[in-house]
Amino acid sequence: MSIGRAPRSVAVVGAGPGGLYLAISLKLKNPAIDVIVHERNRPDDTFGWGVVFSDQTLANLKRNDPETAAAIEAAFVHWDDIDVHIRGETVRSGGHGFAGIGRQGLLNILQDRARSLGVDLRFETEIEDVRSLPADIIVAADGLNSRIRNGAPEVFGVDVDVRSNKYIWLGTTQSFDAFTFAFVETPHGWIWAHAYQFEPGASTFIVECSEATWRGLGFDAMDQDQTCRAAEALFADWLGGHALMSNAKHLRGSAWLNFPRVACANWRDGKVILLGDAAHTAHFSIGSGTKLAFEDAIRLAEALTGGEDLERALSDYEADRRIEVLKLQSAARNSTEWFETLDRYVDLHPLQFTYSLLTRSQRVSHENLRLRDRDFLESVERWFAATAGAPPSDRPAAPAFTPLRLRSLTLPNRIVVSPMCMYSAEDGTVGDFHLVHLGGRALGGAGLVFTEMTDVSADARITPGCAGLYRPEHRDAWRRIVDFVHAQGSRVAIQLAHAGRKGSVERPWGPRADQPLLEGGWTLIAPSPIPWTEGDQVPREMTRADMDRVRDDFVRAVGWAAEAGFDMIELHCAHGYLLSSFLTPVSNRRTDDYGGSVENRLRFPLEVFTAMRAAWPDDRPMSVRLSASDWVEEGLTPEDAVAIARAFAEAGCDLIDVSAGSTTPDARPVYGRMFQTPLSDRIRNEAGVVTMAVGNIYEPDHVNGILAAGRADLCALARPHLADPNWTLRTAAELGWRGVQPPVQYRAGFTQLARNLERQQQAGPV
């Protein structure tokens, strides 16, 4: 159904904050519009407690309707602090700029304002057939359990993801002077509260836990009154004798919930438009549901009253709002998953635990925390530097510039030049290009420089231009580069690999990029005879003799790597190359001892690693790069990735380099900032191993945030180092860190850059 003209009448179904604010906004923009709000409940019925506003949300309201914003602000209870209680300690951070208001008080303000503008509010009105309403536009603002949306799920493309944790909205007369997170360990697992004051003598108190803990504590068999009494006992230390209460008495039995994340492919069906929670939800732990509904209302009112082509205006409204909703839902997903996997983090030091909690959604960054509460952030940095063995300093180093020790190797900082194939070798021999390329990055200050993927035999290469370590002259060429890197005071690691079924193709540029070689190609081997794509060569399924040869090729390369002077070696078990192809079920269809279960699929890669470890000097570290996700449903599970990482660590691996994907052309990764870091987080904190994060990490804030939160121990950057070989030195200058040691030839430039940046910061924005 196409709509061509501005509406003269709008019916809003649902008198929650979003529906009421839309009515207000419509009347402000065009008083002549007939706006009727239909609500099934009474004016004073509400089943929540308090609503949280950020300073940014209030600013949006002030721009749209200063009078309503002033009334809301006058009823606010403000706070800047967040208190985190964990294992008998309390950590406070400030500067967060939030305010609370009672949900009923907010609704009263909005109802009064709407009436004053001429909105017709009709309570206790049940709308059976929404399309029977005599209005040009009908807005479904009927909330999370929207009957309008659920009545046509195929039209709106409804997708509901019900999350695993249990939670319940409770209230208390206890007053909290900070937003309070209280974590309690029980014999059945952890349970925690999100508590905040919304008016004098009244606070919201949300209790959350896993389903296993919920059942173990007996909440599944309790009614609401019993739940309140049991929760009072668990959180007595923070309630100060005040009772907990529920206002969901309309529900029979338990009021515990599982949060449903709602997303809709379409927000509109003809003249019916979804708004707020009816169209989308964001987990309560980021407190953005009301914010999204208000901002939907502001933008929809603009579209309906703009005087332009209404069809286009409504399309633009949905497109604009969908982007903002996607951002919030992404942040909410991160926050939700943090609480769902709380067991990963409860053993962190309380300072690091709090930092991880505050940055869980990725909306708050390291430097943003410095702006909010410098003292808190510097306490985290001092703790991190001390645990890393950094020398005491009046100004602690940022996490990126703390050392890390792996066996006898000490890295001066946590920034790593990631392995990047250059396809510029001659028959496996690296030359002047590689000397300049890797040497330039060593001069740029990174704590560790990785070579590109270096192949252990001629038929282990991806392309004829790939680097190798399968002849003595290769060792000698690498030694030249290693000696240069060491002369600059840097450290260098070599990544050893076999391309497997992804080999014998052209370089990734030119008219035949990545296509099978027409001349000079070689036979491919793989765990199973499955080509990379239909147009690629079908590999031969490996025999035991093939495995012996490949293993021995890796061991030979290890010996030459030691002779070349490398500080560290990495076994490449990622990105669909030979050993990765054994690990993932998408390419390993074997029915012998090397296929099937994850233990069997791991058998040959682990055999290769064990042989390499035995040939590598015991005092030098080894790492393994893994694709921890195939980005396809039938691929590696997260549990597989943790088990694989743990097995390599038990075999003597010192670092798991956590990458993902490139194991099948069918992969559908979800890209974004630091998009692979959650995989590193899981492996580090579940397997208890040292990890390196990689994947769209490109800002100093990314690195510091990942490290300080305990999501990884190193950060590898690829493209940023292609664009700027001196990325680490520039970052040190931007952060005002003088502990870095540039090459003597570069120190004048570094000093000038640091001085100029400091002056700019002191001068402030122009």
Side-chain angles (χ1 to χ4, degrees):
M1 176 181 176
S2 178
I3 303 173
R5 59 181 175 80
R8 289 172 294 184
S9 61
V10 175
V12 180
V13 180
L20 289 170
Y21 200 70
L22 172 64
I24 292 167
S25 299
L26 286 169
K27 280 293 191 178
L28 286 171
K29 293 182 181 302
N30 184 355
I33 291 181
D34 182 25
V35 182
I36 303 175
V37 178
H38 303 268
E39 170 57 50
R40 62 188 303 186
N41 296 305
R42 295 172 298 182
D44 56 351
D45 283 344
T46 184
F47 309 114
W49 291 93
V51 177
V52 177
F53 281 73
S54 68
D55 290 345
Q56 178 187 13
T57 301
L58 184 61
N60 291 337
L61 299 186
K62 286 180 177 178
R63 282 192 293 270
N64 185 64
D65 178 14
E67 184 173 330
T68 301
I72 292 172
E73 189 171 25
F76 271 159
V77 172
H78 292 268
W79 70 86
D80 278 332
D81 296 332
I82 294 176
D83 280 354
V84 177
H85 305 271
I86 179 77
R87 295 193 182 281
E89 295 196 36
T90 299
V91 179
R92 171 168 285 199
S93 69
H96 298 285
F98 284 98
I101 184 174
R103 181 176 172 84
Q104 188 59 61
L106 175 63
L107 291 175
N108 290 341
I109 290 170
L110 296 176
Q111 290 168 13
D112 291 345
R113 178 65 165 151
R115 288 192 185 96
S116 73
L117 293 171
V119 176
D120 184 356
L121 301 181
R122 300 181 183 180
F123 291 94
E124 298 182 78
T125 304
E126 193 76 61
I127 305 299
E128 296 295 341
D129 178 10
V130 68
R131 293 187 181 277
S132 67
L133 292 171
D136 297 329
I137 292 290
I138 300 165
V139 178
D142 52 342
L144 171 63
N145 298 309
S146 170
R147 293 175 63 183
I148 298 171
R149 179 198 67 221
N150 292 340
E154 68 289 343
V155 174
F156 292 112
V158 180
D159 175 35
V160 180
D161 177 19
V162 179
R163 305 305 305 189
S164 62
N165 276 1
K166 307 293 289 189
Y167 74 98
I168 186 169
W169 290 86
L170 301 174
T172 179
T173 54
Q174 170 70 303
S175 296
F176 295 93
D177 64 352
F179 195 111
T180 297
F181 292 100
F183 296 86
V184 176
E185 186 175 18
T186 78
H188 304 285
W190 287 83
I191 187 168
W192 55 96
H194 315 239
Y196 56 90
Q197 186 177 186
F198 60 83
E199 62 187 34
S203 298
T204 297
F205 202 91
I206 306 170
V207 179
E208 183 181 6
C209 61
S210 70
E211 182 166 350
T213 300
W214 179 73
R215 292 187 182 279
L217 292 171
F219 284 117
D220 58 324
M222 297 181 193
D223 62 22
Q224 292 183 54
D225 185 67
Q226 291 168 327
T227 292
C228 289
R229 304 294 80 77
E232 285 169 12
L234 287 167
F235 296 100
D237 288 348
W238 299 280
L239 288 169
H242 292 260
L244 290 174
M245 62 197 82
S246 170
N247 64 4
K249 301 300 184 182
H250 63 295
L251 297 176
R252 294 182 179 180
S254 174
W256 289 87
L257 302 166
N258 291 80
F259 187 83
R261 191 276 296 139
V262 174
C264 293
N266 303 301
W267 294 6
R268 185 175 150 224
D269 178 18
K271 67 177 184 178
V272 179
I273 304 167
L274 303 181
L275 181 140
D277 281 354
H280 46 71
T281 60
H283 194 259
F284 62 85
S285 62
I286 66 166
S288 293
T290 303
K291 163 190 165 65
L292 288 175
F294 278 163
E295 292 175 353
D296 280 359
I298 293 169
R299 184 65 182 86
L300 181 56
E302 292 172 352
L304 293 174
T305 60
E308 56 187 289
D309 178 78
L310 188 57
E311 193 72 29
R312 170 173 287 185
L314 290 175
S315 295
D316 290 346
Y317 153 73
E318 183 173 340
D320 292 348
R321 291 301 301 147
R322 190 177 292 280
I323 292 172
E324 294 306 310
V325 168
L326 183 61
K327 292 177 182 177
L328 263 295
Q329 285 191 324
S330 176
R333 182 191 66 243
N334 295 334
S335 179
T336 307
E337 291 176 352
W338 191 92
F339 285 106
E340 289 175 345
T341 58
L342 183 76
D343 284 350
R344 294 182 195 170
Y345 310 112
V346 290
D347 291 328
L348 297 176
H349 185 279
L351 274 173
Q352 189 171 42
F353 179 86
T354 300
Y355 183 100
S356 179
L357 171 61
L358 295 176
T359 59
R360 67 193 183 279
S361 71
Q362 297 185 14
R363 291 192 300 169
V364 177
S365 70
H366 194 79
E367 291 305 313
N368 183 260
L369 275 178
R370 195 185 307 279
L371 292 174
R372 294 177 183 221
D373 189 343
R374 176 179 290 273
D375 290 343
F376 166 75
L377 186 70
E378 290 189 352
S379 70
V380 172
E381 290 181 334
R382 277 191 296 272
W383 168 82
F384 194 96
T387 59
S393 171
D394 292 338
R395 180 178 179 185
F401 291 100
T402 59
L404 178 68
R405 186 175 178 85
L406 300 170
R407 299 201 183 209
S408 65
L409 176 65
T410 298
L411 304 178
N413 61 62
R414 310 292 184 104
I415 300 168
V416 177
V417 176
S418 192
M420 294 175 281
C421 287
M422 296 288 107
Y423 307 104
S424 301
E426 296 291 335
D427 194 15
T429 303
V430 294
D432 289 348
F433 173 86
H434 301 83
L435 175 65
V436 174
H437 168 65
L438 294 171
R441 275 83 197 153
L443 289 166
L448 180 66
V449 177
F450 265 95
T451 71
E452 63 192 271
M453 172 175 159
T454 303
D455 302 307
V456 296
S457 61
D459 61 354
R461 294 174 295 166
I462 308 170
T463 76
C466 289
L469 189 51
Y470 50 86
R471 293 207 302 263
E473 54 264 40
H474 296 160
R475 172 201 57 201
D476 299 338
W478 278 120
R479 182 187 290 134
R480 175 182 178 227
I481 294 171
V482 171
D483 287 347
F484 179 85
V485 171
H486 284 163
Q488 315 316 312
S490 193
R491 285 78 172 163
V492 59
I494 188 168
Q495 184 189 72
L496 298 176
H498 190 300
R501 67 177 182 147
K502 295 178 79 172
S504 194
V505 296
E506 298 284 358
R507 292 171 173 85
W509 50 71
R512 299 198 68 258
D514 297 319
Q515 297 299 305
L517 292 170
L518 296 178
E519 296 181 0
W522 51 87
T523 301
L524 302 182
I525 56 174
S528 300
I530 303 171
W532 176 247
T533 68
E534 290 184 1
D536 285 307
Q537 181 188 148
V538 178
R540 177 170 56 81
E541 181 170 298
M542 290 178 70
T543 65
R544 181 62 247 188
D546 293 324
M547 295 182 196
D548 291 342
R549 179 177 69 83
V550 168
R551 178 201 61 213
D552 293 346
D553 287 343
F554 273 98
V555 170
R556 178 187 61 202
V558 166
W560 280 336
E563 292 174 12
F566 282 101
D567 301 294
M568 177 173 160
I569 54 174
E570 176 167 279
L571 176 61
H572 200 339
C573 293
H575 301 164
Y577 300 120
L578 182 67
L579 299 181
S580 171
S581 292
F582 271 91
L583 292 174
T584 174
V586 302
S587 52
N588 184 343
R589 308 288 173 79
R590 299 177 74 99
T591 58
D592 60 5
D593 290 345
Y594 300 95
S597 68
V598 66
E599 292 81 11
N600 283 0
R601 301 196 310 269
L602 175 59
R603 192 183 303 273
F604 180 59
L606 196 59
E607 177 185 327
V608 172
F609 177 85
T610 302
M612 294 169 67
R613 180 72 266 182
W616 184 243
D618 189 60
D619 64 333
R620 299 190 209 178
M622 285 184 64
S623 63
V624 172
R625 172 165 273 197
L626 296 178
S627 278
S629 173
D630 296 314
W631 303 118
V632 292
E633 287 188 9
E634 66 272 20
L636 279 173
T637 68
E639 292 76 17
D640 287 345
V642 171
I644 291 167
R646 187 179 287 120
F648 277 115
E650 290 171 354
C653 178
D654 304 286
L655 172 71
I656 301 296
D657 177 359
V658 185
S659 189
S662 298
T663 58
T664 168
D666 298 326
R668 294 295 179 267
V670 181
Y671 293 111
R673 293 177 302 128
M674 305 173 280
F675 72 109
Q676 294 176 162
T677 300
L679 303 170
S680 168
D681 184 338
R682 180 165 191 159
I683 288 173
R684 181 185 189 271
N685 292 303
E686 290 189 12
V689 300
V690 177
T691 64
M692 179 163 69
V694 64
N696 213 20
I697 300 168
Y698 54 86
E699 293 180 355
D701 255 14
H702 297 168
V703 177
N704 286 323
I706 289 167
L707 298 172
R711 306 178 80 195
D713 301 277
L714 290 168
C715 289
L717 290 76
R719 290 178 176 87
H721 278 119
L722 290 179
D724 183 0
N726 299 311
W727 192 91
T728 305
L729 292 179
R730 180 176 295 279
T731 294
E734 289 173 354
L735 296 178
W737 176 243
R738 301 296 181 266
V740 69
Q741 293 297 320
V744 292
Q745 300 93 331
Y746 287 9
R747 287 182 186 171
F750 174 79
T751 300
Q752 182 189 58
L753 175 62
R755 184 171 58 245
N756 289 343
L757 289 172
E758 185 176 2
R759 287 172 178 168
Q760 289 175 18
Q761 291 169 0
Q762 291 173 348
V766 177

